[in-house]
């Protein structure tokens, strides 16, 4: 749904961010051609997505409708059995062989999946209330749905949600139980999830603490906060190319809003870039602060951003390109026909074709407008332990955990009692915050305790670390496993049930699965012996990720 910035021009507030040098070559800008579409003039397009077979749009939220097109010009109605409404923050997604629509049926939130645009299968989300769902994304790592959590409280007359809930399906069909991400947000918050080449980004506007809420996950299950170090944002969009995360945001600078470009590298630091406001006599040339962003997508090895610019003559759609996420060049507005609409708010690719969607046209014809261009081949990101396959299945990703790499999600005070019982690492301890918690020489008096949900607790120590008596070095023991299907498993300590097939209970997973004995690491695909309960029978389960 199109949202526009109120046209309140404060010309004296024009500020220009400091330039950041960059040697990255400017990408060749795409040549956009305006299309003639047979969508009805009164079809209020909400969202656009694409996959191998074509494009899907959702529209008319009062009377939900879905249309499919192979070329962006000729559209046919798609009938989704039982759909009664669409998600608020992003109702469509597509990747590879399938497209998706997120909405509600009479009973629960659901995902509709199609490979041909004509036949749609309904998949109800497990334990999803009708008001929880918000956004869907599909990419090479799977499909993620995000919504507001169940924990809520009243604060200052406002309902505050203490967490977000996510559902993940590696195959786009079987969604695992909810994953929780901590985030104090107000009722009107709209979390948005974006699929990128190496995982997913999750951004949320509406933090009651004024924080920039942004998370990255390589697998849709483990989410790490990456927004710390950014000024508080009013609204933002994010994208990723290789190890670089790019953000276009409106931030509060004193009493004024500022439109800004930011980039985050592997070192975790955010660096401010530059945003081209355009040059007169082109349309929509406005002071800083009047550029509003609706999306970022990877374009080759760089980025393409889009939104609108509010000027004295109204608003016009705007598209920017960037080679590096720092320097953003504005494409000519009039030469590409972007002045025909008040905003560019949709982007999709189908094969070697890219499509833009614009809305709220300047003419008397209210129909949406589409553009098409040759898509630039997306460069593969730098290797980040992307699993390959062996005859036994996906190669297990082995992660050597580095404490204090990312900001913790909470803090506490307490002590550590003994060296860890879960791993032989010499920096691991059994503490009030769990086992293992990790120390580091550059963080004296602190340990970090990772949680199975992707969160971590910073424990301020109330006493010294316990003595560690020298002992023969042991093997590198995995202290956490993620199994195929999404179950996350942690070590079991104490008196357990009777062994099964001679194997002692070693781990218990979040969904109740029991892991017996040590992993079989003789091939690239690790496996473990598992059971649904203490009585068996045992089955063999592949390990997707092992944390050491």
């Amino acid at each position: 749904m199109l949202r526009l910035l109120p046209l309140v021009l404060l010309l004296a507030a024009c500020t220009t961010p400091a330039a950041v040098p960059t040697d990255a070559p400017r990408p060749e800008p795409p040549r956009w051609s305006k299309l003639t579409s047979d969508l009805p003039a009164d079809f209020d397009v909400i969202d656009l997505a694409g996959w191998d077979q074509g494009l899907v749009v959702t529209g008319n939220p009062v009377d939900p409708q879905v249309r499919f097109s192979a070329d962006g010009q000729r559209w046919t109605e798609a009938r989704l059995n039982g759909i009664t409404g669409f998600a608020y923050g992003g109702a469509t997604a597509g990747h590879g062989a399938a497209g998706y629509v997120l909405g509600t049926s009479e009973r629960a939130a659901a995902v509709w999946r199609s490979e041909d645009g004509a036949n749609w299968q309904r998949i109800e989300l497990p334990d999803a209330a009708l008001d929880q769902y918000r956004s869907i994304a599909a990419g090479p790592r799977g499909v993620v749905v995000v919504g507001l959590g169940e924990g809520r409280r009243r604060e200052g007359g406002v309902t505050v949600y203490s967490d977000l809930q996510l559902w993940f399906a590696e195959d786009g069909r079987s969604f695992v139980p909810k994953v929780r991400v901590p985030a104090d947000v107000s009722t009107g918050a709209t979390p948005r999830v974006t699929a990128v080449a190496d995982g997913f980004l999750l951004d949320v506007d509406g933090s009651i603490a004024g924080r920039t809420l942004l998370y990255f996950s390589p697998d849709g299950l483990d989410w790490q906060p990456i927004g710390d170090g950014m000024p508080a944002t009013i609204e933002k969009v994010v994208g990723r190319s290789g190890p670089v995360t790019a953000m276009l945001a409106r931030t509060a600078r004193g009493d004024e809003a500022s439109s800004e470009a930011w980039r985050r590298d592997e070192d975790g630091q955010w660096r401010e870039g530059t945003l081209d406001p355009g040059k007169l006599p082109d349309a929509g040339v406005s002071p800083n602060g009047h550029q509003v962003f609706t999306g970022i997508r990877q374009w080759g090895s760089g980025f393409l951003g889009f939104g609108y610019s509010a000027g004295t003559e109204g608003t016009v759609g705007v598209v920017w390109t960037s080679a590096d996420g720092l320097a953003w060049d504005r494409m000519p507005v009039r030469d590409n026909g972007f002045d025909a609409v008040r905003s560019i708010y949709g982007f999709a690719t189908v094969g070697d074709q890219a499509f833009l969607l614009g809305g709220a046209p300047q003419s008397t014809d209210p129909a949406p407008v589409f553009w098409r261009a040759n898509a630039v081949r997306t460069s593969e990101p730098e290797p980040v332990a992307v699993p390959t396959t062996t005859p036994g299945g996906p190669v297990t990703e082995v992660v050597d955990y580095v404490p204090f790499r990312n900001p913790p999600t909470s803090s506490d005070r307490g002590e550590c009692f003994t060296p860890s019982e879960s791993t032989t690492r010499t920096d691991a301890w059994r503490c009030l915050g769990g086992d293992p918690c990790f120390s580091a020489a550059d963080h004296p008096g602190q340990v970090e305790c990772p949680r199975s949900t992707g969160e971590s607790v910073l424990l301020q120590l109330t006493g010294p670390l316990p003595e560690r008596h020298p002992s023969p070095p042991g093997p590198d023991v995995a202290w956490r496993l993620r199994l195929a299907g999404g179950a996350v498993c942690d070590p079991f300590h104490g008196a357990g049930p009777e062994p099964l097939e001679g194997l002692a209970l070693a781990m218990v997973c979040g969904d109740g699965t029991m892991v017996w004995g040590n992993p079989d690491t003789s091939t690239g695909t690790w496996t473990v012996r598992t059971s649904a309960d203490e009585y068996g029978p045992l089955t063999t389960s592949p390990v997707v990720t092992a944390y050491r």
Side-chain angles (χ1 to χ4, degrees):
M1 186 69 69
L2 182 62
R3 295 180 299 137
L4 296 177
L5 175 73
L7 301 180
V8 181
L9 290 183
L10 302 173
L11 300 181
C14 179
T15 60
T16 302
V20 178
T22 174
D23 297 326
R26 295 292 199 264
E28 183 68 25
R31 297 177 61 86
W32 295 100
S33 299
K34 190 175 176 181
L35 301 179
T36 301
S37 165
D38 64 3
L39 273 179
D42 60 350
F43 191 89
D44 183 11
V45 176
I46 302 173
D47 286 300
L48 167 73
W51 72 99
D52 290 351
Q53 296 302 312
L55 302 165
V56 62
V57 294
T58 56
N60 297 1
V62 176
D63 178 23
Q65 296 184 31
V66 178
R67 301 293 174 95
F68 171 78
S69 174
D71 58 9
Q73 296 178 280
R74 291 169 293 277
W75 295 85
T76 58
E77 184 175 0
R79 298 189 179 277
L80 278 59
N81 181 39
I83 194 165
T84 59
F86 298 126
Y88 307 149
T92 62
H95 177 75
Y100 304 86
V101 173
L102 174 62
T104 53
S105 65
E106 292 182 354
R107 294 178 296 183
V111 173
W112 282 260
R113 180 183 185 276
S114 177
E115 296 184 2
D116 59 9
N119 301 291
W120 293 81
Q121 174 195 9
R122 184 173 69 188
I123 306 166
E124 292 191 357
L125 296 173
D127 301 324
L130 291 176
D131 62 346
Q132 289 177 341
Y133 66 100
R134 287 296 187 272
S135 174
I136 185 170
R141 298 291 178 91
V143 179
V144 168
V145 172
V146 61
L148 299 178
E150 295 174 343
R152 64 188 75 179
R153 66 183 187 275
R154 295 290 292 179
E155 187 170 311
V158 176
T159 299
V160 176
Y161 290 82
S162 59
D163 58 11
L164 304 174
Q165 297 181 121
L166 299 104
W167 295 260
F168 171 71
E170 188 172 10
D171 61 0
R173 292 184 175 92
S174 304
F175 286 88
V176 300
K178 293 175 286 191
V179 177
R180 299 186 185 278
V181 174
D184 281 342
V185 295
S186 61
T187 304
T190 302
R192 295 169 298 268
V193 61
T194 302
V196 293
D198 57 347
F200 301 90
L201 292 169
L202 170 62
D203 70 280
V204 193
D205 295 325
S207 165
I208 64 169
R211 297 171 54 208
T212 296
L213 296 179
L214 178 61
Y215 304 84
F216 171 71
S217 172
D219 56 14
L221 296 170
D222 296 321
W223 295 84
Q224 296 295 327
I226 62 171
D228 288 353
M230 270 291 300
T233 58
I234 302 170
E235 52 191 355
K236 62 185 178 298
V237 294
V238 292
R240 189 170 169 90
S241 179
V244 174
T245 301
M247 178 187 297
L248 294 173
R250 297 183 68 243
T251 66
R253 299 290 186 176
D255 295 332
E256 311 297 342
S258 176
S259 300
E260 300 173 356
W262 291 83
R263 162 180 163 149
R264 183 183 189 271
D265 294 276
E266 289 183 290
D267 62 3
Q269 299 298 310
W270 286 97
R271 296 171 176 84
E272 188 174 1
T274 58
L275 185 73
D276 178 10
K279 298 178 177 61
L280 293 172
D282 200 7
V285 178
S286 303
N288 178 273
H290 299 282
Q291 296 78 29
V292 180
F293 314 106
T294 57
I296 294 179
R297 297 293 186 272
Q298 185 174 1
W299 188 258
S301 60
F303 301 92
L304 183 141
F306 45 95
Y308 62 91
S309 180
T312 55
E313 300 177 358
T315 66
V316 296
V318 179
V319 175
W320 292 268
T321 59
S322 176
D324 55 10
L326 282 174
W328 290 80
D329 299 322
R330 197 181 90 151
M331 295 191 65
V333 169
R334 287 199 179 97
D335 288 354
N336 286 282
F338 299 149
D339 56 337
V341 297
R342 297 176 66 190
S343 176
I344 306 290
Y345 67 101
F347 176 89
T349 57
V350 179
D352 61 356
Q353 298 291 298
F355 295 85
L356 287 174
L357 165 65
Q362 307 284 27
S363 67
T364 57
D365 182 0
V369 179
F370 294 88
W371 288 263
R372 182 172 59 202
N374 292 328
V376 175
R377 180 177 176 82
T378 298
S379 302
E380 291 296 321
E382 295 181 9
V384 285
V386 178
T388 57
T389 59
T390 70
V395 170
T396 298
E397 178 185 6
V398 180
V399 177
D400 290 316
Y401 188 80
V402 179
F404 304 103
R405 171 176 287 179
N406 295 302
T409 53
S410 61
S411 62
D412 202 351
R413 292 176 58 82
E415 61 180 321
C416 294
F417 312 111
T418 65
S420 173
E421 298 177 4
S422 302
T423 172
T424 57
R425 284 178 50 160
T426 58
D427 61 347
W429 313 90
R430 183 174 68 87
C431 308
L432 180 66
D435 183 4
C437 295
F438 296 95
S439 59
D442 56 349
H443 285 76
Q446 300 176 332
V447 292
E448 182 180 82
C449 307
R451 302 298 197 203
S452 61
T453 57
E455 307 168 27
S456 64
V457 176
L458 175 66
L459 190 67
Q460 298 283 356
L461 296 178
T462 56
L465 288 169
E467 292 186 9
R468 183 182 293 276
H469 298 289
S471 59
D476 288 334
V477 176
W479 50 267
R480 177 165 297 153
L481 300 176
R482 184 166 68 84
L483 308 183
V488 178
C489 313
D490 289 318
F492 175 82
H493 301 297
E498 291 294 320
L500 288 181
E501 298 182 13
L503 300 174
L505 179 63
M507 289 184 162
V508 176
C509 310
D511 64 354
T513 298
M514 293 181 168
V515 177
W516 303 80
N518 294 323
D520 180 353
T521 62
S522 60
T523 68
T525 302
W526 293 16
T527 59
V528 288
R529 300 287 282 167
T530 60
S531 67
D533 54 37
E534 61 186 279
Y535 305 107
L538 292 183
T539 60
T540 299
S541 300
V543 176
V544 176
T545 311
Y547 297 87
R548 301 189 304 190

